[in-house]
Amino acid sequence: MRRVAARGVMAAHCGRCTSHCAGLKLLDAKTIIVVAADQGLRRSVAFALEVEGYATQSYDTLRTAEDASRLALCTVLDDDILRSEPQAAAQFLSNRGGRAILLVDGLSALQQRVDYTTLTKPFTGADLLGVINSLVVAAK
């Protein structure tokens, strides 16, 4: 994947298209990646974030989200991905854990690790925004 600057905005180029711009996905410092197998959860999380002024990109697998996650502010990752893509999820969390929010089921919540943040389902939009704001403050 190539990265190009477009008027101060970081852009990711997938490299799979024949035209340079056809595969261009603009990402800025307020883009948040949402990864969840459940389409309803993806839509709900994306909507809550977009209402607050964040841009989002949603994916149903971690493999498809990998490139975009490198450039985004953070990635919200549903814990179902840990079961469906265990190796990819483990590698992702070890590489970009400081910019990852793992959504966990309250009944089977994992012990929180230092390198990523957990948010227990069910959660409110305010809960999610609080976690994201804490990541933004910690990144500064």
Side-chain angles (χ1 to χ4, degrees):
M1 181 172 102
R2 289 180 292 171
R3 293 181 189 151
V4 295
R7 294 186 192 161
V9 176
M10 288 304 295
H13 184 264
C14 68
R16 290 179 228 127
C17 61
T18 56
S19 164
H20 175 70
C21 294
L24 200 60
K25 297 177 183 179
L26 294 179
L27 297 175
D28 66 16
K30 291 190 81 172
T31 299
I32 297 175
I33 306 303
V34 179
V35 184
D38 181 85
Q39 184 179 19
L41 179 60
R42 284 194 315 269
R43 284 183 180 171
S44 295
V45 172
F47 178 77
L49 295 170
E50 289 167 2
V51 165
E52 295 298 323
Y54 290 100
T56 64
Q57 289 186 12
S58 298
Y59 299 90
D60 60 352
T61 67
L62 191 55
R63 287 182 189 96
T64 57
E66 191 77 30
D67 290 340
S69 294
R70 289 186 183 108
L71 301 173
L73 172 66
C74 66
T75 300
V76 178
L77 180 68
D78 186 45
D79 66 349
D80 283 343
I81 298 297
L82 295 176
R83 290 182 279 284
S84 63
E85 299 178 76
Q87 290 177 326
Q91 183 177 358
F92 178 87
L93 290 171
S94 68
N95 291 341
R96 279 179 294 291
R99 292 185 6 230
I101 300 168
L102 183 63
L103 305 178
V104 297
D105 186 337
L107 300 175
S108 62
L110 302 172
Q111 181 178 350
Q112 183 173 345
R113 292 181 39 185
V114 175
D115 52 351
Y116 61 85
T117 303
T118 60
L119 182 59
T120 304
K121 299 181 277 187
F123 56 89
T124 66
D127 295 334
L128 179 59
L129 291 173
V131 170
I132 290 170
N133 290 335
S134 69
L135 287 177
V136 171
V137 169
K140 289 182 180 181

